[in-house]
Amino acid sequence: MSGKLFPLKGKIKPGTRYRLSAVFKLKNVTPGKNIRGAPGCYFSGYAWKWIWFPRGGPVFTGTTDWLFREYEFTTPPEGTPAKYDPNLGFVLNRATGEAWIDCLTLEEMED
């Protein structure tokens, strides 16, 4: 797996809704053959558990112009033990090609 991970320790709060947004571009992103999981390019985060976006859908592959995407998620309630220090990333997982990302934003949403 290659990509960029951004540490979030001390920057996110429990039981809070967030919006992740970014623009990205792909060139010849091709999943490996005979690989389980989600080969391709996607946003990934972990602390309490692994999360990835797009959820439940295909990962990003191929060649694209600049694309904008945004996703919303809620962190677990206070007191939920984290398995890892929180991080957010944009990764190329078990695939070949190139990916660029810009304007990555994580914002707390109001209730």
Side-chain angles (χ1 to χ4, degrees):
M1 175 169 55
S2 62
K4 177 66 178 168
L5 291 177
F6 303 93
L8 297 175
K9 189 172 185 176
K11 297 178 183 175
I12 59 173
K13 300 185 254 183
T16 304
R17 189 145 184 83
Y18 289 93
R19 178 181 294 123
L20 164 68
S21 62
V23 294
F24 62 93
K25 180 178 179 176
L26 307 177
K27 181 179 178 183
N28 299 325
V29 174
T30 306
K33 295 185 182 206
N34 301 318
I35 295 177
R36 292 182 180 169
C41 193
Y42 56 91
F43 298 93
S44 172
Y46 61 91
W48 299 272
K49 64 179 182 176
W50 283 98
I51 58 170
W52 61 90
F53 305 100
R55 286 188 177 195
V59 296
F60 306 113
T61 58
T63 298
T64 70
D65 199 354
W66 287 99
L67 302 171
F68 172 79
R69 294 291 185 271
E70 66 180 13
Y71 306 99
E72 295 178 5
F73 65 95
T74 302
T75 55
E78 191 165 354
T80 305
K83 294 181 180 180
Y84 315 97
D85 285 342
N87 284 280
L88 177 65
F90 185 68
V91 298
L92 188 60
N93 186 37
R94 294 175 264 170
T96 58
E98 298 176 76
W100 297 269
I101 186 170
D102 199 5
C103 304
L104 180 66
T105 304
L106 182 65
E107 58 185 318
E108 185 177 330
M109 299 176 64
E110 295 183 25
D111 291 331

